Amino acid sequence: MISRKSREELKLMRHAGSIVALVHQEMKKVICEGISTLELDEVAHKIIKENKAVPTFLGYHGFPGSICASINEQVVHGIPSKDVILRSGDIVSIDVGATFRGLVGDGAWTYPVGEITEDKKMLLETTQKALMAGVSRMMNGNLLEEVSAAIEDVALAKGLGIVRQYGGHGVGRNMHEDPFVFNYRTGNKTILKTGMTIAIEPMLNLGKDDVYVLDDDWTVVTADEKPSAHFEHTVYVGENGPEILTKLS
Ligand code: MG
């Protein structure tokens, strides 16, 4: 069942989303060559706590961080570590969740570290564009399939791989609620309705679609070791169109 949020719930989700956005604003500032992903985790954890929220990811199925930090060929679910030091030319995907009075905001962004290759720039630009194309279809009465199709079209136009095993999801009182949102067409007939809140999150690869999970049981990597990007917003289906709750300014 897909929940539809009350006015009060929406208010809390806006606030949770704004904390996620705050974390990303700070990530943009502090990400640089030489910083470890554990240090990024500490920065995120502090901001979430200072804003009287709970780091949603910390302890989720035993996950040890407040963020997921995934570099280069890592797609999602990278574990923050003092041993992962960012280098110029890397890309790093930061995914973060904040729970404020029981409601969750969830958002991810992939950041360049120093100078990156043209290929990686295209990957980041295209994945962000795919996210926004999907978000733009989040309208009352649209099929969820239209969101998936919009993302798929942007990815395929640039010949990027689309991660099949992971996707967007309803979000609210739980981080993962119905519906699941594929980032490609599946013939889904779910109709979007005002009040739904859904995290849209394309994960696109410079190479092929295939991914697998490392021995740490968390980190998802591309099978061909080519870079991957991940952009995500929590989005409310509003009366007058989509409202991004995790907007970065
Ligand atoms: Mg998510």
Side-chain angles (χ1 to χ4, degrees), residues 11 20 24 31 77 92 104 106 123 125 136 146 153 174 177 182 189 193 197-198 211 214 238 244-245 247:
K11 239 163 100 182
V20 168
H24 278 294
I31 283 172
H77 306 165
V92 58
V104 177
D106 187 9
L123 174 68
E125 281 164 15
S136 74
E146 294 176 54
D153 286 345
N174 297 293
E177 299 183 350
F182 290 92
K189 297 288 181 260
K193 296 209 168 73
T197 45
I198 298 176
V211 299
L214 293 183
I244 296 174
L245 303 179
K247 198 161 193 131

Side-chain angles (χ1 to χ4, degrees), residues 94-116:
I94 304 293
D95 194 352
V96 61
T99 306
F100 183 74
R101 292 195 211 156
L103 276 297
V104 177
D106 187 9
W109 212 257
T110 302
Y111 298 92
V113 183
E115 272 304 305
I116 60 170

Side-chain angles (χ1 to χ4, degrees), residues 17 20-21 23-24 57 67-68 94-98 104-109 111 169 175 199-201 230-234 246 248:
V20 168
V23 171
H24 278 294
F57 296 1
I67 59 170
C68 297
I94 304 293
D95 194 352
V96 61
V104 177
D106 187 9
W109 212 257
Y111 298 92
H169 50 91
M175 177 157 62
I200 304 299
E201 50 177 323
H230 178 209
F231 288 79
E232 174 185 33
H233 275 311
T234 296
T246 43
L248 313 176

Side-chain angles (χ1 to χ4, degrees), residues 163-175:
V163 176
R164 308 267 151 177
Q165 294 93 325
Y166 302 88
H169 50 91
V171 55
R173 296 216 167 261
N174 297 293
M175 177 157 62

